[in-house]
């Protein structure tokens, strides 16, 4: 059976954690689809606009050799994404494992024959940490 994988992310300030997720996802499937979160959805979900514009983030992600297809993520509805893309394995960070939302998604996806595969979160780096450093440096330069 061909394993079609799907994962999503903002992929702002692309770093090793992002690369680890994409590499590990590709190792676990034959074809990897990556949803890149739009600026609007990021504002809605996280309350902040990404530093790197959406079109540039799409270009960066589609340039990664582990990625077979890039699509805009315009909604957090994973079942709607499945309806459009028909993946059979979804990759997500283990920081979501055991949450009410993902327990429900595991149940819903099991009925559709979709496996949820959790990856370890890269502890030492994140876009949030990098953004904080950049904003701190910008404040110092303004003074």
């Amino acid at each position: 059976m061909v394993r079609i994988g799907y994962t999503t992310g903002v992929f702002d300030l692309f770093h090793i954690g992002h690369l680890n997720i994409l590499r590990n996802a590709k190792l676990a499937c034959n074809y990897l689809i990556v949803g890149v979160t739009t600026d609007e959805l990021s504002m809605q979900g996280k309350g902040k606009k990404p530093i790197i514009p959406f079109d540039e983030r799409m270009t960066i992600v589609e340039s990664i050799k582990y990625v077979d297809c890039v699509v805009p993520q315009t909604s957090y509805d994973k079942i709607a994404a499945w309806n459009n893309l028909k993946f059979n394995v979804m990759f997500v960070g283990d920081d979501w494992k055991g949450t009410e939302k993902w327990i429900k998604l595991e149940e819903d996806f099991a009925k559709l024959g979709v496996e949820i595969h959790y990856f370890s979160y890269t502890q030492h780096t994140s876009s949030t940490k990098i953004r904080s450093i950049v904003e701190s440096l910008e404040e110092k330069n303004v003074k």
Side-chain angles (χ1 to χ4, degrees):
M1 179 173 122
V2 174
R3 286 175 56 94
I4 300 170
Y6 180 64
T7 193
T8 64
V10 178
F11 300 104
D12 195 22
L13 303 172
F14 197 90
H15 55 75
I16 193 66
H18 294 136
L19 189 62
N20 287 341
I21 288 171
L22 299 177
R23 179 180 51 241
N24 291 333
K26 182 59 179 183
L27 288 171
C29 69
N30 304 101
Y31 189 84
L32 180 61
I33 304 167
V34 178
V36 176
T37 307
T38 63
D39 291 347
E40 295 78 15
L41 189 60
S42 181
M43 285 292 296
Q44 174 189 327
K46 295 186 175 192
K48 55 188 172 186
K49 184 176 179 182
I51 292 173
I52 307 299
F54 174 72
D55 290 341
E56 292 179 20
R57 291 183 287 115
M58 289 280 289
T59 300
I60 290 166
V61 173
E62 70 187 4
S63 298
I64 304 299
K65 70 181 180 178
Y66 308 113
V67 176
D68 296 298
C69 177
V70 178
V71 296
Q73 180 184 224
T74 58
S75 166
Y76 289 120
D77 185 336
K78 305 303 184 197
I79 299 298
W82 179 83
N83 283 325
N84 291 328
L85 303 169
K86 301 299 188 213
F87 50 87
N88 50 29
V89 59
M90 173 140 194
F91 302 103
V92 64
D94 65 0
D95 49 328
W96 292 103
K97 189 172 187 169
T99 64
E100 188 175 324
K101 175 184 176 176
W102 282 91
I103 290 170
K104 172 82 168 99
L105 278 170
E106 285 177 25
E107 293 170 2
D108 293 344
F109 274 132
K111 295 172 190 168
L112 299 171
V114 176
E115 172 191 348
I116 305 292
H117 189 102
Y118 294 95
F119 287 127
S120 295
Y121 185 78
T122 305
Q123 295 296 325
H124 69 278
T125 191
S126 73
S127 295
T128 301
K129 287 179 183 178
I130 295 169
R131 182 184 189 110
S132 173
I133 292 166
V134 169
E135 288 172 349
S136 172
L137 291 172
E138 285 177 344
E139 286 177 14
K140 287 179 183 177
N141 285 336
V142 169
K143 292 179 181 178

